[in-house]
Protein backbone atom coordinates (compact mmCIF):
# COMPACT_ATOMS: atom_id res chain seq x y z
CA UNK A 1 0.00 0.00 0.00
CA UNK A 2 1.26 3.46 -0.88
CA UNK A 3 0.21 5.99 1.77
CA UNK A 4 0.58 9.75 1.71
CA UNK A 5 1.44 10.85 5.24
CA UNK A 6 0.77 14.55 5.77
CA UNK A 7 2.96 15.91 8.51
CA UNK A 8 5.16 12.91 7.77
CA UNK A 9 8.33 14.61 9.02
CA UNK A 10 6.76 15.50 12.37
CA UNK A 11 6.64 13.79 15.74
CA UNK A 12 3.84 11.30 15.11
CA UNK A 13 4.01 11.38 11.32
CA UNK A 14 7.61 10.21 11.18
CA UNK A 15 6.76 7.33 13.51
CA UNK A 16 3.86 6.38 11.23
CA UNK A 17 6.16 6.38 8.20
CA UNK A 18 8.59 4.09 10.02
CA UNK A 19 5.77 1.78 11.09
CA UNK A 20 4.41 1.61 7.54
CA UNK A 21 7.81 0.60 6.22
CA UNK A 22 8.08 -2.02 8.94
CA UNK A 23 4.86 -3.60 7.67
CA UNK A 24 5.97 -3.59 4.04
CA UNK A 25 4.09 -0.46 2.95
CA UNK A 26 5.38 2.76 1.41
CA UNK A 27 4.98 5.97 3.36
CA UNK A 28 5.20 9.11 1.23
CA UNK A 29 6.14 12.14 3.33
CA UNK A 30 4.27 15.38 2.71
CA UNK A 31 5.29 17.99 5.25
CA UNK A 32 5.41 21.75 5.68
CA UNK A 33 9.13 21.65 6.56
CA UNK A 34 9.86 20.48 3.01
CA UNK A 35 7.36 22.82 1.35
CA UNK A 36 4.35 20.50 1.49
CA UNK A 37 1.47 22.65 2.69
CA UNK A 38 -1.90 20.86 2.77
CA UNK A 39 -3.52 24.20 1.93
CA UNK A 40 -1.75 24.22 -1.45
CA UNK A 41 -4.35 22.56 -3.68
CA UNK A 42 -2.06 21.97 -6.66
CA UNK A 43 0.79 20.57 -4.58
CA UNK A 44 -1.54 18.21 -2.74
CA UNK A 45 -2.98 17.03 -6.03
CA UNK A 46 0.46 16.16 -7.34
CA UNK A 47 1.39 14.38 -4.13
CA UNK A 48 -1.71 12.17 -4.38
CA UNK A 49 -0.62 10.65 -7.68
CA UNK A 50 -0.39 6.88 -7.28
CA UNK A 51 -1.49 6.96 -3.64
CA UNK A 52 -3.83 4.31 -2.19
CA UNK A 53 -4.76 6.11 1.04
CA UNK A 54 -3.94 9.17 3.13
CA UNK A 55 -2.82 9.33 6.75
CA UNK A 56 -3.51 12.92 7.79
CA UNK A 57 -1.23 13.93 10.65
CA UNK A 58 -0.52 17.53 9.64
CA UNK A 59 -2.02 19.94 12.16
CA UNK A 60 -1.35 22.83 14.46
CA UNK A 61 -1.50 21.24 17.92
CA UNK A 62 -1.74 22.14 21.60
CA UNK A 63 -3.46 25.04 23.31
CA UNK A 64 -1.14 27.69 21.93
CA UNK A 65 -0.82 31.16 23.42
CA UNK A 66 -4.44 32.26 23.55
CA UNK A 67 -7.40 33.09 21.35
CA UNK A 68 -5.19 35.19 19.11
CA UNK A 69 -4.09 31.86 17.59
CA UNK A 70 -7.64 31.04 16.46
CA UNK A 71 -7.25 32.01 12.82
CA UNK A 72 -3.99 30.08 12.52
CA UNK A 73 -5.57 26.96 14.00
CA UNK A 74 -8.59 27.14 11.70
CA UNK A 75 -6.38 27.73 8.67
CA UNK A 76 -3.92 24.94 9.42
CA UNK A 77 -6.37 22.34 10.66
CA UNK A 78 -9.74 22.96 9.04
CA UNK A 79 -8.92 24.77 5.80
CA UNK A 80 -5.99 22.39 5.32
CA UNK A 81 -8.23 19.36 5.81
CA UNK A 82 -10.87 20.73 3.46
CA UNK A 83 -8.29 21.33 0.71
CA UNK A 84 -6.84 17.84 1.21
CA UNK A 85 -10.25 16.18 1.04
CA UNK A 86 -11.19 18.11 -2.07
CA UNK A 87 -7.98 17.01 -3.75
CA UNK A 88 -8.59 13.40 -2.67
CA UNK A 89 -12.07 13.53 -4.18
CA UNK A 90 -10.64 14.64 -7.52
CA UNK A 91 -7.79 12.11 -7.40
CA UNK A 92 -10.06 9.19 -6.62
CA UNK A 93 -8.37 8.41 -3.30
CA UNK A 94 -11.10 7.08 -1.04
CA UNK A 95 -9.35 6.07 2.20
CA UNK A 96 -8.39 8.40 5.06
CA UNK A 97 -6.98 7.88 8.54
CA UNK A 98 -7.22 11.11 10.51
CA UNK A 99 -5.24 12.21 13.54
CA UNK A 100 -8.12 12.94 15.88
CA UNK A 101 -7.88 13.92 19.52
CA UNK A 102 -9.38 13.29 22.94
CA UNK A 103 -9.94 17.05 23.22
CA UNK A 104 -13.22 16.74 21.32
CA UNK A 105 -14.84 15.34 24.49
CA UNK A 106 -14.04 18.26 26.77
CA UNK A 107 -14.13 16.78 30.26
CA UNK A 108 -14.04 13.02 30.56
CA UNK A 109 -16.64 10.69 32.05
CA UNK A 110 -17.85 11.41 35.58
CA UNK A 111 -20.28 9.67 37.90
CA UNK A 112 -22.17 11.13 40.85
CA UNK A 113 -23.11 8.81 43.69
CA UNK A 114 -26.66 10.17 43.66
CA UNK A 115 -27.25 11.13 40.01
CA UNK A 116 -25.24 8.62 38.01
CA UNK A 117 -23.28 9.70 34.93
CA UNK A 118 -23.24 13.50 34.64
CA UNK A 119 -21.46 16.07 32.51
CA UNK A 120 -19.98 18.96 34.49
CA UNK A 121 -19.73 22.31 32.74
CA UNK A 122 -16.56 24.38 32.37
CA UNK A 123 -14.83 25.04 35.66
CA UNK A 124 -15.46 28.41 37.31
CA UNK A 125 -12.60 30.92 37.43
CA UNK A 126 -13.30 31.67 41.09
CA UNK A 127 -12.93 27.98 41.92
CA UNK A 128 -9.69 27.72 39.99
CA UNK A 129 -8.32 30.86 41.63
CA UNK A 130 -9.19 29.33 44.99
CA UNK A 131 -7.40 26.07 44.24
CA UNK A 132 -10.63 24.11 43.84
CA UNK A 133 -9.83 22.14 40.71
CA UNK A 134 -12.21 19.17 40.84
CA UNK A 135 -15.51 19.59 38.96
CA UNK A 136 -18.62 18.86 41.00
CA UNK A 137 -21.98 17.36 40.14
CA UNK A 138 -23.98 19.95 38.17
CA UNK A 139 -27.17 18.76 39.91
CA UNK A 140 -26.25 18.47 43.59
CA UNK A 141 -22.70 19.78 43.84
CA UNK A 142 -21.29 16.54 45.27
CA UNK A 143 -17.85 15.22 44.43
CA UNK A 144 -17.58 13.17 41.25
CA UNK A 145 -15.71 9.97 40.42
CA UNK A 146 -13.84 10.17 37.09
CA UNK A 147 -13.96 7.20 34.72
CA UNK A 148 -13.09 6.17 31.18
CA UNK A 149 -14.61 8.05 28.25
CA UNK A 150 -15.94 6.07 25.28
CA UNK A 151 -16.26 7.12 21.66
CA UNK A 152 -20.04 7.50 21.89
CA UNK A 153 -19.77 10.10 24.66
CA UNK A 154 -21.10 13.57 23.78
CA UNK A 155 -18.52 15.93 22.33
CA UNK A 156 -17.86 19.24 24.04
CA UNK A 157 -14.76 21.02 22.69
CA UNK A 158 -13.63 23.71 25.13
CA UNK A 159 -10.86 25.56 23.31
CA UNK A 160 -9.97 26.59 19.78
CA UNK A 161 -7.75 23.60 19.11
CA UNK A 162 -10.45 21.19 20.26
CA UNK A 163 -13.01 22.92 18.07
CA UNK A 164 -10.81 22.54 14.99
CA UNK A 165 -10.20 18.86 15.71
CA UNK A 166 -13.93 18.20 15.86
CA UNK A 167 -14.45 20.19 12.67
CA UNK A 168 -11.85 17.98 10.96
CA UNK A 169 -13.93 14.93 11.84
CA UNK A 170 -17.11 16.53 10.52
CA UNK A 171 -15.38 17.48 7.27
CA UNK A 172 -14.00 13.97 6.84
CA UNK A 173 -17.37 12.36 7.55
CA UNK A 174 -19.05 14.66 5.02
CA UNK A 175 -16.38 13.83 2.43
CA UNK A 176 -16.83 10.09 3.00
CA UNK A 177 -20.59 10.32 2.49
CA UNK A 178 -20.25 12.48 -0.61
CA UNK A 179 -17.65 10.40 -2.46
CA UNK A 180 -18.19 6.91 -1.07
CA UNK A 181 -15.01 7.10 0.96
CA UNK A 182 -13.97 5.68 4.32
CA UNK A 183 -12.58 7.65 7.23
CA UNK A 184 -11.11 6.43 10.51
CA UNK A 185 -10.43 9.08 13.15
CA UNK A 186 -7.96 7.99 15.81
CA UNK A 187 -8.65 10.10 18.88
CA UNK A 188 -5.21 10.24 20.43
CA UNK A 189 -4.86 10.69 24.13
CA UNK A 190 -1.61 12.16 25.51
CA UNK A 191 1.07 11.03 23.07
CA UNK A 192 4.68 11.16 24.22
CA UNK A 193 8.05 9.74 23.24
CA UNK A 194 11.32 10.52 21.47
CA UNK A 195 11.03 13.18 18.80
CA UNK A 196 8.53 15.41 20.62
CA UNK A 197 8.84 19.12 19.82
CA UNK A 198 10.54 21.14 22.52
CA UNK A 199 10.35 24.65 23.94
CA UNK A 200 7.10 25.60 22.24
CA UNK A 201 3.70 26.56 23.70
CA UNK A 202 2.09 24.14 21.24
CA UNK A 203 3.73 20.97 22.59
CA UNK A 204 2.30 18.51 25.09
CA UNK A 205 2.87 18.41 28.83
CA UNK A 206 5.45 15.63 28.61
CA UNK A 207 7.53 17.80 26.29
CA UNK A 208 7.29 20.79 28.65
CA UNK A 209 8.58 18.67 31.53
CA UNK A 210 11.34 17.03 29.49
CA UNK A 211 12.51 20.40 28.11
CA UNK A 212 12.72 21.84 31.63
CA UNK A 213 14.77 18.89 32.85
CA UNK A 214 17.13 19.24 29.89
CA UNK A 215 17.75 22.84 31.00
CA UNK A 216 18.42 21.69 34.57
CA UNK A 217 15.13 23.16 35.78
CA UNK A 218 12.26 21.66 37.76
CA UNK A 219 9.18 20.65 35.77
CA UNK A 220 6.36 23.06 36.62
CA UNK A 221 3.14 21.19 37.34
CA UNK A 222 -0.10 23.15 36.98
CA UNK A 223 -3.07 22.94 39.36
CA UNK A 224 -2.29 20.40 42.11
CA UNK A 225 -0.87 17.77 39.76
CA UNK A 226 -3.91 15.53 40.23
CA UNK A 227 -5.19 15.81 36.65
CA UNK A 228 -5.68 12.29 35.26
CA UNK A 229 -4.51 11.55 31.72
CA UNK A 230 -3.76 8.54 29.56
CA UNK A 231 -0.16 8.76 28.31
CA UNK A 232 0.37 6.63 25.21
CA UNK A 233 3.72 6.05 23.50
CA UNK A 234 4.25 7.36 19.98
CA UNK A 235 5.22 3.93 18.61
CA UNK A 236 1.92 2.52 19.84
CA UNK A 237 0.07 5.39 18.18
CA UNK A 238 1.95 4.70 14.95
CA UNK A 239 0.95 1.03 15.04
CA UNK A 240 -2.71 2.05 15.50
CA UNK A 241 -2.45 4.16 12.36
CA UNK A 242 -1.05 1.29 10.31
CA UNK A 243 -3.75 -1.12 11.49
CA UNK A 244 -6.43 1.46 10.68
CA UNK A 245 -4.99 1.95 7.20
CA UNK A 246 -4.88 -1.78 6.58
CA UNK A 247 -8.54 -2.11 7.65
CA UNK A 248 -9.89 0.78 5.56
CA UNK A 249 -11.37 -1.43 2.85
CA UNK A 250 -13.76 -2.92 5.42
CA UNK A 251 -14.37 0.28 7.38
CA UNK A 252 -17.60 2.21 7.78
CA UNK A 253 -17.85 5.62 6.09
CA UNK A 254 -16.79 7.15 9.41
CA UNK A 255 -15.54 5.46 12.56
CA UNK A 256 -13.80 6.97 15.58
CA UNK A 257 -11.46 5.14 17.94
CA UNK A 258 -9.87 6.21 21.20
CA UNK A 259 -6.14 5.47 21.24
CA UNK A 260 -4.91 5.32 24.82
CA UNK A 261 -2.71 3.07 26.91
CA UNK A 262 -5.46 2.01 29.29
CA UNK A 263 -3.11 2.87 32.18
CA UNK A 264 -4.04 6.36 33.46
CA UNK A 265 -1.61 8.46 35.50
CA UNK A 266 -1.78 11.93 36.95
CA UNK A 267 0.22 14.81 35.54
CA UNK A 268 2.08 14.96 38.84
CA UNK A 269 3.02 11.29 38.52
CA UNK A 270 4.31 11.92 35.00
CA UNK A 271 6.48 14.82 36.17
CA UNK A 272 7.87 12.81 39.09
CA UNK A 273 8.63 9.78 36.92
CA UNK A 274 10.40 11.87 34.30
CA UNK A 275 12.43 13.75 36.89
CA UNK A 276 13.49 10.53 38.60
CA UNK A 277 14.46 8.85 35.33
CA UNK A 278 16.31 11.95 34.16
CA UNK A 279 18.09 12.50 37.46
CA UNK A 280 16.20 15.54 38.76
CA UNK A 281 15.50 18.23 39.75
CA UNK A 282 12.18 17.39 41.39
CA UNK A 283 8.93 18.87 40.05
CA UNK A 284 7.34 21.99 41.52
CA UNK A 285 3.55 22.12 41.87
CA UNK A 286 2.56 25.71 41.06
CA UNK A 287 -1.23 25.91 41.46
CA UNK A 288 -1.37 27.77 38.13
CA UNK A 289 -4.00 26.83 35.57
CA UNK A 290 -5.11 27.35 31.98
CA UNK A 291 -8.76 28.04 31.28
CA UNK A 292 -8.82 25.74 28.25
CA UNK A 293 -7.65 22.73 30.24
CA UNK A 294 -9.97 20.01 31.53
CA UNK A 295 -9.48 18.17 34.81
CA UNK A 296 -9.67 14.47 33.94
CA UNK A 297 -9.79 12.71 30.58
CA UNK A 298 -8.84 9.05 30.23
CA UNK A 299 -9.61 6.65 27.43
CA UNK A 300 -11.77 3.62 27.05
CA UNK A 301 -9.89 1.98 24.17
CA UNK A 302 -11.92 -1.24 24.03
CA UNK A 303 -13.28 -0.42 20.56
CA UNK A 304 -9.90 -0.13 18.82
CA UNK A 305 -8.64 -3.23 20.61
CA UNK A 306 -11.68 -5.26 19.63
CA UNK A 307 -12.24 -4.03 16.07
CA UNK A 308 -8.67 -3.42 14.86
CA UNK A 309 -6.80 -5.83 17.11
CA UNK A 310 -4.57 -3.06 18.43
CA UNK A 311 -2.93 -3.12 21.82
CA UNK A 312 -0.23 -0.89 23.31
CA UNK A 313 3.18 -2.49 23.68
CA UNK A 314 5.14 0.20 25.56
CA UNK A 315 4.37 0.41 29.27
CA UNK A 316 4.45 3.68 31.20
CA UNK A 317 7.63 2.97 33.17
CA UNK A 318 9.53 1.70 30.12
CA UNK A 319 8.35 4.57 27.93
CA UNK A 320 9.17 7.25 30.49
CA UNK A 321 12.68 5.84 31.04
CA UNK A 322 13.31 5.94 27.29
CA UNK A 323 11.86 9.41 26.89
CA UNK A 324 13.74 10.84 29.88
CA UNK A 325 17.10 9.74 28.52
CA UNK A 326 16.51 10.26 24.79
CA UNK A 327 19.28 12.13 23.02
CA UNK A 328 17.17 15.25 22.52
CA UNK A 329 13.80 16.63 21.54
CA UNK A 330 12.81 17.81 18.09
CA UNK A 331 13.32 21.49 17.33
CA UNK A 332 9.98 23.25 16.81
CA UNK A 333 9.06 24.01 13.24
Amino acid sequence: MRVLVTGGAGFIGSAVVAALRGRGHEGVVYDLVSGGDVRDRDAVGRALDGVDAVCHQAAMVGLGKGFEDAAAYVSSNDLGTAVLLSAMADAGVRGLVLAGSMVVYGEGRYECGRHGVVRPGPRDVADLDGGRFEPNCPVCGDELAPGLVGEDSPVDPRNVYATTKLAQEHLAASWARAVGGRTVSLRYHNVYGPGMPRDTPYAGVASFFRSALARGQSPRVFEDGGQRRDFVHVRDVASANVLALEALSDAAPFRAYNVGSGDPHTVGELAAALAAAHGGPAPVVTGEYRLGDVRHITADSARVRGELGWKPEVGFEEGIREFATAAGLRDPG
Side-chain angles (χ1 to χ4, degrees):
M1 178 168 45
R2 191 166 191 259
V3 180
L4 182 69
V5 183
T6 70
F11 169 45
I12 298 176
S14 60
V16 171
V17 171
L20 282 166
R21 291 171 181 163
R23 296 274 290 192
H25 304 298
E26 180 184 1
V28 180
V29 175
Y30 186 85
D31 197 283
L32 191 60
V33 299
S34 56
D37 191 334
V38 290
R39 294 166 294 189
D40 185 333
R41 178 66 174 74
D42 293 337
V44 172
R46 292 190 295 270
L48 287 168
D49 185 42
V51 162
D52 299 303
V54 173
C55 187
H56 185 28
Q57 304 295 318
M60 187 174 178
V61 300
L63 284 183
K65 298 177 181 178
F67 203 82
E68 61 267 27
D69 286 329
Y73 273 109
V74 171
S75 177
S76 295
N77 298 355
D78 298 339
L79 175 60
T81 299
V83 172
L84 172 66
L85 293 171
S86 175
M88 289 174 65
D90 288 348
V93 179
R94 296 293 184 260
L96 174 71
V97 172
L98 173 68
S101 176
M102 65 175 188
V103 295
V104 300
Y105 299 116
E107 287 284 353
R109 184 181 188 275
Y110 292 88
E111 190 164 348
C112 173
R114 288 197 282 172
H115 296 99
V117 176
V118 296
R119 290 191 59 79
R123 294 180 291 174
D124 187 83
V125 171
D127 286 337
L128 295 170
D129 286 341
R132 298 180 295 275
F133 302 117
E134 294 289 344
N136 294 319
C137 175
V139 181
C140 66
D142 283 359
E143 292 184 3
L144 298 174
L148 304 180
V149 63
E151 292 89 348
D152 294 329
S153 298
V155 292
D156 184 17
R158 295 189 176 182
N159 55 61
V160 172
Y161 171 61
T163 302
T164 65
K165 295 307 290 183
L166 183 57
Q168 283 185 308
E169 289 194 351
H170 289 321
L171 286 166
S174 296
W175 165 84
R177 288 192 296 269
V179 305
R182 294 177 173 87
T183 294
V184 169
S185 179
L186 299 178
R187 291 175 176 170
Y188 304 155
H189 283 246
N190 289 73
V191 187
Y192 75 97
M196 287 192 82
R198 65 179 178 185
D199 299 326
T200 165
Y202 306 96
V205 65
S207 175
F208 295 159
F209 294 163
R210 177 66 173 80
S211 294
L213 289 164
R215 296 191 299 267
Q217 299 171 353
S218 295
R220 293 176 59 82
V221 180
F222 279 14
E223 301 187 16
D224 60 1
Q227 311 93 301
R228 294 174 76 248
R229 297 290 188 269
D230 189 321
F231 299 100
V232 58
H233 196 277
V234 66
R235 289 196 298 274
D236 287 330
V237 170
S239 71
N241 275 273
V242 175
L243 289 172
L245 285 160
E246 291 175 341
L248 274 175
S249 61
D250 297 320
F254 179 86
R255 190 70 163 157
Y257 295 100
N258 286 332
V259 177
S261 71
D263 183 24
H265 289 80
T266 68
V267 172
E269 289 170 346
L270 170 70
L274 270 174
H278 191 272
V284 173
V285 177
T286 69
E288 298 172 270
Y289 64 86
R290 299 187 300 181
L291 277 178
D293 283 340
V294 297
R295 180 61 176 175
H296 303 297
I297 175 73
T298 53
D300 180 348
S301 297
R303 178 185 289 180
V304 69
R305 292 169 185 250
E307 295 186 8
L308 297 186
W310 174 84
K311 64 177 182 178
E313 301 290 344
V314 183
F316 181 78
E317 290 78 12
E318 174 193 353
I320 291 302
R321 284 196 303 270
E322 177 196 23
F323 182 48
T325 57
L329 301 185
R330 183 185 298 268
D331 288 326

